[in-house]
């Protein structure tokens, strides 16, 4: 079974905050990918954003990291801030099926992803 990881980039603007997402079968999803062999989930997201999407990940700042449940699958979800989202970044994302969508249009996505805010350390004792 391939381990999965998800990521998004927050883009705060005067008109409101938008999130980097992909649209799959008419529904928005966080950017979801496989964890690369011999890499951590975080390293896998950063590698994909840099080498596939073409984003300068040195400009990203980790905003949050949570374990989220999407359907029956638990994934690490990494949320980044980016120092400056410009037209070149938007176009590179678009070429890879990723778009920045205003948060007000993502209610279905936010409701479909269950976030566990309780540390998983207590599961280690079982």
């Amino acid at each position: 079974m391939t381990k999965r990881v998800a990521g998004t980039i927050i883009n705060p603007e005067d008109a409101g905050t938008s999130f980097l997402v992909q649209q799959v079968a008419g529904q928005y999803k966080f950017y979801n990918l496989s964890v690369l062999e011999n890499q951590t989930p975080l390293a896998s997201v950063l590698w994909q954003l840099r080498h596939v999407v073409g984003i300068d990940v040195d400009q990203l700042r980790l905003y949050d990291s949570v374990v989220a449940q999407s359907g029956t699958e638990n994934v690490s979800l990494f949320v980044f801030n980016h120092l400056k989202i410009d037209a070149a970044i938007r176009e590179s994302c678009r070429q890879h099926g990723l778009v920045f969508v205003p948060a007000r249009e993502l209610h279905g996505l936010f409701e479909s992803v269950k976030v566990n805010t309780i540390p998983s350390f207590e599961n280690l004792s079982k």
Side-chain angles (χ1 to χ4, degrees):
M1 184 169 141
T2 303
K3 192 171 181 181
R4 307 289 295 171
V5 64
T8 189
I9 299 173
I10 296 174
N11 182 29
E13 299 176 297
D14 292 338
T17 301
S18 60
F19 289 80
L20 181 69
V21 295
Q22 55 190 164
Q23 195 169 17
V24 178
Q27 294 184 335
Y28 291 119
K29 306 249 184 228
F30 289 117
Y31 185 36
N32 194 301
L33 52 125
S34 296
V35 174
L36 300 172
E37 189 173 333
N38 299 319
Q39 295 290 327
T40 65
L42 177 58
S44 296
V45 171
L46 292 172
W47 190 94
Q48 191 85 0
L49 288 172
R50 179 187 300 266
H51 297 286
V52 176
V53 180
I55 293 176
D56 179 4
V57 297
D58 293 337
Q59 299 300 307
L60 294 177
R61 300 296 176 259
L62 185 60
Y63 178 79
D64 202 357
S65 170
V66 295
V67 174
Q69 184 178 12
S70 181
T72 60
E73 185 176 28
N74 286 332
V75 297
S76 296
L77 171 61
F78 295 99
V79 181
F80 300 96
N81 280 336
H82 194 282
L83 299 181
K84 176 90 169 118
I85 303 295
D86 58 18
I89 290 173
R90 289 179 188 277
E91 178 57 23
S92 182
C93 289
R94 188 193 64 71
Q95 290 176 6
H96 293 89
L98 302 168
V99 292
F100 285 91
V101 176
R104 66 182 173 277
E105 296 177 25
L106 296 174
H107 293 294
L109 171 61
F110 296 141
E111 290 172 0
S112 71
V113 176
K114 296 175 187 161
V115 176
N116 182 1
T117 58
I118 299 170
S120 59
F121 298 119
E122 62 190 39
N123 295 333
L124 295 175
S125 65
K126 296 180 182 177

